[in-house]
């Protein structure tokens, strides 16, 4: 057991910079002088394109805004600030962007000297090829097969998902500010708690409950701050926004968020078991949790790998449909359009996709409602091709064929669709996930390149 009897961590945002942090609840929390300011800044929810293209999905100004709030408060109070999965993807370029922002903020605020640590999570294809030659099995997750050289060749960029290890090592080196590459959400918060000697089960639960900030509070309100408190017996989480509370229902419900199995959270080195968690209303704005367990991995630690590869250039067309008969026969209309495209592009390595909002646009084939009663539909046409010129042509053809759709029993000529704009729209290139695997390692730092430097006056 460490010397501290409790540790308090403020989390201002469930995804730093994805939408600006709400300042009122942040400063309410900051005035209570937490021990750490921690926040996750990335996700694979945003799809494979940002990783593959090595870009952020969030505006630079939002990310800088959120970093500045945390930086000013943490440096004024002399407590550490920790960021994981910098810039949406946690790639090297995103880590460098955040490091540059921190250096810029230090100059702006004439901050006294402090230690800035940062680590990279990028993994080269050559490294994985060599591992595969050595007979290392890179195991697929969620039904994927083990990694093959063919899948690896389709990949443009790979990141490893860090556990607590690089964060703890950076804190051991005296870091005041840590900018992390791709990381497990809960590890960002669990690391300081583990380093301070708190139990592993409670430390990882603290991370689990804080990772999305006010998503564990009610009523719903994103981008509001919460504070997690860990003791050697329990975790408490408190809403900072004046209109929110952390309740038994809101906190227990958040534990099920984004998980196929609501009771387990897997990280590098083991899993958090929440089957024995007990929830109790501690005070009006605070929920208390007891009973989480951490089960260490048996054998080598496995690190998750995420990889993305480009499949082509992409354009988007948008069509609205109001005609009741066309709506009733929308599947036939789409097939008509698809058939016209296949005549011309059958051997060109192209894709045409129709996303029908008002029918099954969100869930696709998983949509349980098969018979719709929509009075209008929106069809988004996505064309993917080897070149931008070809993507534009195939998307334009697919969209306009909705206007000319031929149903044998219809005697009219055309006009079954209306377009938001006549032209199709340029979109980011299309990517696909190529890696969702784990690799065993002898050293949990093997895939993470940690640096530390002095910044400030």
């Amino acid at each position: 057991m460490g010397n501290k009897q409790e540790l308090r961590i403020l989390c201002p945002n469930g995804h730093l910079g994805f939408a600006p942090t709400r300042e009122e609840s942040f400063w309410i929390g900051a005035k209570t002088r937490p021990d750490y300011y921690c926040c996750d800044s990335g996700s694979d929810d945003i799809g494979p394109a940002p990783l593959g293209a090595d870009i952020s999905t969030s505006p630079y100004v939002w990310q800088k805004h959120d970093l500045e709030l945390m930086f000013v408060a943490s440096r004024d109070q002399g407590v550490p600030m920790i960021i994981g999965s910098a810039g949406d993807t946690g790639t090297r370029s995103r880590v460098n962007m955040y490091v540059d922002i921190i250096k810029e903020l230090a100059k702006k605020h004439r901050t006294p000297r402090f230690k800035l640590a940062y680590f990279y999570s990028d993994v080269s294809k050559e490294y994985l090829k060599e591992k595969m030659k050595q007979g290392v099995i890179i195991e697929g997750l969620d039904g994927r097969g083990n990694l093959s050289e063919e899948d690896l060749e389709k990949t443009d960029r790979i990141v490893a998902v860090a556990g607590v290890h690089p964060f703890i090592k950076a804190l051991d080196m005296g870091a005041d500010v840590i900018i992390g590459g791709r990381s497990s959400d809960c590890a960002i918060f669990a690391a300081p708690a583990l380093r301070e000697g708190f139990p592993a089960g409670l430390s990882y639960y603290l991370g689990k409950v804080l990772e999305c900030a006010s998503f564990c509070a009610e009523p719903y309100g994103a981008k509001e701050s919460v504070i997690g408190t860990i003791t050697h017996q329990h975790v408490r989480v408190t809403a900072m926004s004046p209109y929110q509370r952390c309740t038994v229902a809101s906190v227990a419900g958040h534990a099920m968020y984004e998980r196929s199995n609501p009771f387990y959270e897997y990280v590098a080195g083991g899993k958090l078991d929440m089957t024995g968690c007990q929830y109790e209303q501690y005070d009006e704005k605070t929920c208390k949790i007891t009973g989480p367990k951490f089960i260490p991995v048996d054998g080598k630690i496995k690190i998750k790998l995420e990889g993305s590869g480009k499949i082509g250039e992409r354009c988007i067309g948008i069509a609205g449909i109001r005609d009741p008969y066309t709506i009733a026969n929308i599947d036939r209309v789409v097939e008509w359009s698809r058939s016209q495209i296949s005549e011309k592009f059958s051997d060109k390595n192209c894709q045409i996709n129709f996303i029908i909002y008002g029918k099954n646009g969100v869930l696709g084939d998983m949509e349980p409602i098969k018979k719709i009663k929509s009075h209008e539909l929106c069809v988004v046409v996505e064309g993917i091709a080897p070149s931008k010129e070809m993507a534009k042509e195939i998307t334009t053809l697919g969209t306009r064929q909705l206007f000319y759709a031929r149903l044998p029993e219809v005697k009219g000529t055309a006009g079954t669709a209306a377009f938001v704009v006549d032209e199709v729209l340029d979109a980011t290139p299309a990517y696909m996930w190529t890696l969702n695997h784990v690799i065993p390692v002898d050293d949990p730092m093997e895939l993470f390149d940690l640096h530390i430097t002095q910044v400030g006056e």
Side-chain angles (χ1 to χ4, degrees):
M1 180 179 294
N3 293 326
K4 286 188 177 179
Q5 294 306 303
E6 71 172 33
L7 185 77
R8 300 172 65 249
I9 297 177
L10 184 149
C11 178
N13 197 320
H15 183 156
L16 183 141
F18 198 69
T21 294
R22 307 275 292 191
E23 295 194 22
E24 181 185 11
S25 63
F26 175 81
W27 290 115
I28 289 173
K31 286 179 182 174
T32 70
R33 304 187 72 85
D35 298 292
Y36 286 83
Y37 289 83
C38 301
C39 195
D40 167 47
S41 180
S43 177
D44 58 10
D45 294 347
I46 54 180
L51 174 61
D54 200 13
I55 58 174
S56 295
T57 62
S58 309
Y60 177 87
V61 66
W62 292 358
Q63 302 189 63
K64 187 175 180 181
H65 167 269
D66 287 4
L67 284 173
E68 187 165 17
L69 282 177
M70 295 178 68
F71 179 77
V72 168
S74 67
R75 288 299 81 222
D76 281 353
Q77 296 171 8
V79 298
M81 161 185 169
I82 302 176
I83 303 294
S85 299
D88 298 324
T89 64
T91 59
R92 175 179 288 266
S93 73
R94 303 303 95 184
V95 171
N96 288 339
M97 181 177 77
Y98 272 29
V99 166
D100 288 345
I101 291 174
I102 293 296
K103 289 178 178 176
E104 183 182 329
L105 292 173
K107 283 184 182 177
K108 175 183 176 182
H109 294 282
R110 303 179 65 87
T111 308
R113 288 184 77 76
F114 64 93
K115 287 186 177 180
L116 169 62
Y118 53 97
F119 68 85
Y120 301 116
S121 298
D122 301 60
V123 178
S124 71
K125 288 198 285 188
E126 289 68 29
Y127 169 88
L128 296 181
K129 285 179 183 175
E130 183 58 33
K131 287 290 183 181
M132 292 165 74
K133 285 180 184 175
Q134 294 171 9
V136 174
I137 302 298
I138 302 175
E139 180 185 349
L141 299 172
D142 299 331
R144 285 177 179 262
N146 296 336
L147 184 63
S148 65
E149 289 198 19
E150 182 182 2
D151 285 336
L152 193 55
E153 286 304 321
K154 296 177 183 174
T155 304
D156 289 313
R157 194 160 285 99
I158 307 163
V159 287
V161 182
V164 297
H165 313 91
F167 294 105
I168 290 176
K169 187 167 184 179
L171 290 170
D172 287 343
M173 294 166 72
D176 300 296
V177 176
I178 303 173
I179 300 299
R182 186 73 175 112
S183 314
S184 291
D185 298 356
C186 73
I188 301 159
F189 308 88
L194 286 168
R195 183 174 178 273
E196 300 270 9
F198 291 92
L202 292 171
S203 297
Y204 280 103
Y205 188 89
L206 178 71
K208 173 63 185 168
V209 76
L210 289 182
E211 64 174 323
C212 288
S214 57
F215 273 20
C216 67
E218 63 179 42
Y220 172 76
K223 313 306 172 188
E224 303 284 9
S225 294
V226 297
I227 288 183
T229 303
I230 185 171
T231 73
H232 293 274
Q233 292 77 40
H234 64 257
V235 168
R236 303 193 303 271
V237 56
T238 307
M240 293 295 106
S241 169
Y243 70 89
Q244 287 190 307
R245 305 165 63 226
C246 288
T247 68
V248 170
S250 68
V251 174
H254 178 69
M256 302 180 188
Y257 177 66
E258 290 185 322
R259 295 292 174 272
S260 55
N261 186 320
F263 297 115
Y264 302 110
E265 173 86 4
Y266 293 87
V267 296
K271 70 176 179 181
L272 173 66
D273 181 349
M274 294 178 279
T275 55
C277 282
Q278 299 291 316
Y279 298 83
E280 175 185 338
Q281 198 65 43
Y282 183 79
D283 62 28
E284 182 186 357
K285 297 175 75 68
T286 304
C287 180
K288 172 182 166 183
I289 306 97
T290 55
K293 296 178 181 176
F294 183 73
I295 302 172
V297 67
D298 185 16
K300 285 187 176 183
I301 287 178
K302 295 179 179 178
I303 305 290
K304 183 183 176 190
L305 301 170
E306 295 174 349
S308 172
K310 184 177 177 179
I311 57 176
E313 302 295 336
R314 181 169 56 161
C315 287
I316 296 291
I318 305 172
I321 296 176
R322 180 63 176 83
D323 172 56
Y325 195 78
T326 303
I327 290 173
N329 292 277
I330 187 64
D331 291 338
R332 295 169 66 192
V333 171
V334 165
E335 284 310 307
W336 156 266
S337 180
R338 197 185 295 279
S339 69
Q340 302 304 298
I341 293 162
S342 64
E343 285 182 7
K344 185 172 182 182
F345 294 95
S346 60
D347 60 346
K348 298 293 195 304
N349 196 25
C350 299
Q351 292 185 36
I352 187 78
N353 301 308
F354 296 86
I355 302 104
I356 307 169
Y357 292 101
K359 185 170 184 289
N360 56 2
V362 176
L363 292 179
D365 292 340
M366 295 173 63
E367 173 58 59
I369 298 175
K370 303 301 181 187
K371 189 172 182 180
I372 61 171
K373 298 179 180 177
S374 307
H375 71 283
E376 61 184 10
L377 298 175
C378 175
V379 182
V380 174
V381 183
E382 178 189 51
I384 300 170
S387 69
K388 179 64 81 174
E389 183 181 21
M390 192 179 294
K392 186 169 290 187
E393 184 180 358
I394 192 173
T395 308
T396 302
L397 184 59
T399 307
R400 291 187 181 171
Q401 288 304 318
L402 297 176
F403 185 80
Y404 297 118
R406 303 308 305 159
L407 296 172
E409 58 273 36
V410 174
K411 294 184 170 51
T413 53
T416 50
F419 305 137
V420 177
V421 291
D422 285 337
E423 68 274 25
V424 299
L425 308 176
D426 285 346
T428 55
Y431 287 82
M432 63 179 290
W433 291 116
T434 53
L435 268 83
N436 183 28
H437 293 71
V438 289
I439 183 170
V441 293
D442 296 318
D443 178 351
M445 288 296 296
E446 184 173 332
L447 302 178
F448 306 102
D449 182 17
L450 176 63
H451 302 260
I452 191 162
T453 186
Q454 294 270 355
V455 179
E457 297 185 344

